[in-house]
Amino acid sequence: MEKKTLMVTGMDCASCALSIENALKRTKGVGSATVNYATGKAYVQFDSSQIGMHGIEKKIADIGYEVVKEDSGTGNAGPEIGMERGGHAHGALEPKDREKEEREREIADYKKRFYLALIFTIPVLAIAMLDMLGIKPPALFEQYGKYVEFAFSTIVLAAGSHFFTKGFRAIRNGMPNMDSLVAIGVGSAYVYSIATSFFGVPGFMYFETAALLITFISFGKMLEAITKGKTGEAIRALVALAPKTARVVRGKTVVEMPIGEVKVGDILEIRPGDKIPVDGTVVSGESHVDESMVTGEPMPVKKGKDDRAIGATINKAGSFRMRAEKVGSETMLAQIIRLVEEAQGSKPQIQKLADTVSAYFVPAVVGLALVSFAYWYFIAGAGFGVALGFFITTMVIACPCALGLATPTGIVMSSGIGARNGILAKRTEALEVLERTAIAVFDKTGTITEGKPGVSGVFAFGKGDGKEMMALAASLEQKSEHPLAEAVVDYAKATGLRLREPRKFSAIAGFGVKGTVGKDTVLIGNAKLMKREKVAFKDGERMEGLEKEGKTVVIVAQGRKALGMIAISDAVKETSKEAMAALKKEGIATYMITGDNERSARTVANEVGIGNVIANVLPQEKEERVRELQKKGKVVFVGDGINDAPALAAADVGIAIGSGTDVAIETGDVVLVKGDIRDVARAIRLGKYTMKKIRQNLFWAFIYNVIGIPIAMGAFSGWGITINPVIAGAAMAFSSVSVVSNSLIMRFYRL
């Protein structure tokens, strides 16, 4: 069995994805098929001895959709990793722009159709409004108005021709979709208008109704095309992390070569500021490496002989050499990319209520209209004109345009509310899932905490508040590039302390720093440094307590006298506790997941009010933990780092912190622009409110059909209760107005 990922264009709704999925599953040789409407991707597993790619593409084309042809050499459409080629990554790591080009082409096509429809709808509506308002039109309009309306509305329908071609093809394939509903509803109004205008059928014209609905729906599709399917950018951002070249030791020289030529066993030289090219082990030298883009932890990690080095992480200070052990598709970065793709491919297909109902609604309405025609023409003998009138009235009153507007208008208004509050839902399905959220899982670093080390406590041994000690320590630490030193200096500057320029400075690897400030020798470091320099230090119990809380403690000494201690930690955000309280109020269980140790994780969790902690988790394991929690209910994952990307993609809804990395933002379904995790609870409330309004919209969309269709069929004509196409058209229009008006009310909602 082979696996392929195909980019499919032409999908307009979730039922389109289901149609493709069902068609592929019924195809001989196809083992499994999953189609993700949000990403426009089809994930197919097939037996190549029974069916090839050409057969799969033809099957998709037969039901009205198109597969974007793959570029040579990779086997997939869209952004492809393809690092297996030749066992290394260069060249294959370059992301393809085919998916981006297709998205832009799709948006441009919708824009062109919408603007063309809008231009010709305005005069049609203007002519119709004169008659509706009882204003006598100019003689020229009165004489030729119907021809202008017919001509212009025909152009509008031509601009929306894709609704008709796709809609009727879907009906022919036995899987009617939203396009089918639009095509039948608008087509009925248009055909009836032609009949009344040119063939003497009694009634009024509805050209403006047909034109206006095509324009409105085209506008909604244009907006959807603009905002949909940006998950490909996540892959591009991940791929961009990989360095393009590596410095490889060849004998006594160092040669810079493309990353793709690096082989397992090669010795690489890593200089300060370099990105580490591949995964491997340090063989000589030492440095500190910023691994935050992979591990999520802010503090650079010391690297020495036999320590592990991770590809795409950044060397901060010092040089070292390492042995390449994992290259190409085996690196941690490649594994994270693969996990993101797989998670995207396995996302559940959330079927829209309107699309589900349409599978039964459309055939039922057509059947009822035909039954009505047959009864009045063949049984009641009312004549063809009367029978045709009942048929068209049934089709017009059952116009599903309100059904088509119920969800889009609710989503548009919801997006506006979200934008005002810094909450951006990148896929509409996320709002539906947010309503049913049972569990909220938070990454620790950069999400619950600030994401960078900061001074969390100053403890002077003698009298005073420690300001003199901090000024002395910060003055010396100005010369250090270590993250802990930056925390000390930042704290001193923030509190307005005056710093002096040190005269001497030296870093003592594994111990701390030593230097001269003014006339004094100053030491800053761990207990081992104090012992080495013969500095008396007695407050070991407090130091041990602080370290149990997950804090890094440095001792400050002046000469041989210990002045005090500075506790440094990744501070908890001020809003985290409030955010957890808000979620508990919504009845949602909270979890924290982190690569940190259990003790540190518990300390943070207790401080903010999280009861469930999952600690010591590697980046690639976060996704597994999310999937385990999904057995208990719908899971929201909140994160900000590259290491969070697989979990964001795997969760029912991934919520990315806007202040986080581009990868997290692109992978998340919802983005919190302000970086305030209190917005998680607000996003959930927004999802609940949005779905409530959409259900109300659907109610108004259906109530007219439930009441009107039997009357339109003439079921109550014996009691003198009938409805003509004019009233049917009014009911149809009013149902759409009700839906839009109900959505417009959403603008007054406050989260």
Side-chain angles (χ1 to χ4, degrees), residues 406-407 409-418 420-421 423 428 430-437 586 680-698 739-751:
T407 299
T409 55
I411 294 300
V412 168
M413 295 306 298
S414 174
S415 299
I417 297 170
R420 289 198 303 270
N421 290 274
I423 301 168
T428 56
L431 294 170
E432 190 174 356
V433 181
L434 281 171
E435 181 195 31
R436 298 171 302 187
T437 300
E586 295 289 330
V680 174
R682 295 189 183 107
I684 291 171
R685 288 199 295 270
L686 178 60
K688 291 179 178 179
Y689 179 68
T690 302
M691 293 313 299
K692 173 185 173 183
K693 299 303 288 186
I694 288 175
R695 289 192 188 96
Q696 291 175 357
N697 287 347
L698 291 171
V739 166
V740 176
S741 298
N742 190 50
S743 294
L744 289 174
I745 293 172
M746 295 174 69
R747 74 175 76 179
F748 302 109
Y749 180 70
R750 295 291 179 266
L751 287 175

Side-chain angles (χ1 to χ4, degrees), residues 508-625:
I508 306 170
F511 292 88
V513 296
K514 181 178 182 180
T516 304
V517 179
K519 297 180 180 180
D520 302 311
T521 299
V522 179
L523 298 169
I524 307 173
N526 54 27
K528 291 189 294 183
L529 176 63
M530 300 301 122
K531 183 177 181 180
R532 180 180 124 165
E533 297 292 327
K534 298 180 181 178
V535 175
F537 170 63
K538 300 178 180 179
D539 204 353
E541 187 175 336
R542 175 182 284 183
M543 184 175 182
E544 185 179 342
L546 291 170
E547 288 179 339
K548 283 183 179 179
E549 294 176 6
K551 298 176 181 179
T552 300
V553 181
V554 294
I555 305 163
V556 182
Q558 186 177 26
R560 295 182 182 277
K561 179 184 177 182
L563 301 179
M565 299 183 298
I566 303 172
I568 301 171
S569 63
D570 184 8
V572 171
K573 291 179 180 178
E574 293 180 3
T575 57
S576 293
K577 187 173 183 178
E578 188 179 339
M580 300 308 137
L583 287 168
K584 288 182 180 179
K585 190 175 179 181
E586 295 289 330
I588 295 167
T590 53
Y591 283 73
M592 184 176 75
I593 189 167
T594 179
D596 212 341
N597 62 71
E598 181 81 21
R599 185 175 63 189
S600 297
R602 284 286 175 191
T603 300
V604 173
N606 292 337
E607 183 177 346
V608 301
I610 294 178
N612 306 286
V613 175
I614 304 174
N616 298 307
V617 177
L618 295 174
Q620 58 267 37
E621 293 175 342
K622 286 187 178 181
E623 180 228 13
E624 296 173 15
R625 298 294 186 272

Side-chain angles (χ1 to χ4, degrees), residues 360-563:
Y360 304 97
F361 180 76
V362 175
V365 169
V366 174
L368 290 172
L370 290 173
V371 167
S372 175
F373 177 85
Y375 172 80
W376 290 106
Y377 185 66
F378 294 108
I379 299 175
F384 183 83
V386 174
L388 181 61
F390 278 117
F391 173 82
I392 294 176
T393 302
T394 304
M395 296 297 288
V396 169
I397 204 168
C399 177
C401 299
L403 186 62
L405 293 170
T407 299
T409 55
I411 294 300
V412 168
M413 295 306 298
S414 174
S415 299
I417 297 170
R420 289 198 303 270
N421 290 274
I423 301 168
L424 301 179
K426 293 173 54 185
R427 64 182 185 102
T428 56
E429 292 92 337
L431 294 170
E432 190 174 356
V433 181
L434 281 171
E435 181 195 31
R436 298 171 302 187
T437 300
I439 298 169
V441 183
F442 290 83
D443 170 55
K444 179 176 77 73
T445 306
T447 302
I448 293 173
T449 65
E450 294 291 350
K452 62 179 182 179
V455 173
S456 57
V458 178
F459 307 92
F461 293 154
K463 295 180 180 180
D465 54 9
K467 287 184 178 180
E468 184 179 344
M469 176 191 73
M470 282 299 301
L472 203 62
S475 295
L476 181 61
E477 293 283 29
Q478 288 179 103
K479 292 293 184 180
S480 175
E481 296 180 355
H482 196 282
L484 298 182
E486 291 179 18
V488 171
V489 173
D490 289 345
Y491 179 86
K493 289 180 178 179
T495 52
L497 299 179
R498 188 175 67 85
L499 306 186
R500 291 177 285 171
E501 189 69 20
R503 290 192 293 112
K504 293 181 181 179
F505 174 86
S506 62
I508 306 170
F511 292 88
V513 296
K514 181 178 182 180
T516 304
V517 179
K519 297 180 180 180
D520 302 311
T521 299
V522 179
L523 298 169
I524 307 173
N526 54 27
K528 291 189 294 183
L529 176 63
M530 300 301 122
K531 183 177 181 180
R532 180 180 124 165
E533 297 292 327
K534 298 180 181 178
V535 175
F537 170 63
K538 300 178 180 179
D539 204 353
E541 187 175 336
R542 175 182 284 183
M543 184 175 182
E544 185 179 342
L546 291 170
E547 288 179 339
K548 283 183 179 179
E549 294 176 6
K551 298 176 181 179
T552 300
V553 181
V554 294
I555 305 163
V556 182
Q558 186 177 26
R560 295 182 182 277
K561 179 184 177 182
L563 301 179

